[in-house]
Amino acid sequence: MKSLKISIEENTDAEKLKEILLQIKGIASVDIIDEENPESELKKAFAKTKEQLKKGDYETLVNDIFDIIIKK
């Protein structure tokens, strides 16, 4: 999987931008990451983990955990 990082200005409506991007062919998902508020990223990670466990997607779950540990 490939990803694209987009930095937006503070006054940008991130949810509206997310809706627009999801309408583009080839975009599977859009995640909004607030680097100034790491707690919101942690909540998203837990939600993603719950979904992975429900689907039985253990390999991706383990890879994600290693990415988080290795990440700065």
Side-chain angles (χ1 to χ4, degrees), residues 7-32:
S7 298
I8 58 175
E9 296 177 355
E10 286 188 34
N11 59 351
T12 304
D13 184 353
E15 287 298 324
K16 186 67 174 173
L17 181 59
K18 180 179 177 178
E19 289 175 27
I20 293 168
L21 290 172
L22 286 171
Q23 293 178 14
I24 298 173
K25 182 179 180 182
I27 295 182
S29 67
V30 176
D31 295 321
I32 299 172

Side-chain angles (χ1 to χ4, degrees), residues 50-58:
K50 280 178 154 179
E51 287 301 314
Q52 288 171 326
L53 288 172
K54 286 179 185 176
K55 293 177 185 175
D57 189 4
Y58 304 110

Side-chain angles (χ1 to χ4, degrees), residues 37-52:
N37 186 3
E39 185 175 317
S40 67
E41 188 172 346
L42 184 60
K43 287 179 183 178
K44 288 179 187 177
F46 279 122
K48 183 179 178 184
T49 300
K50 280 178 154 179
E51 287 301 314
Q52 288 171 326

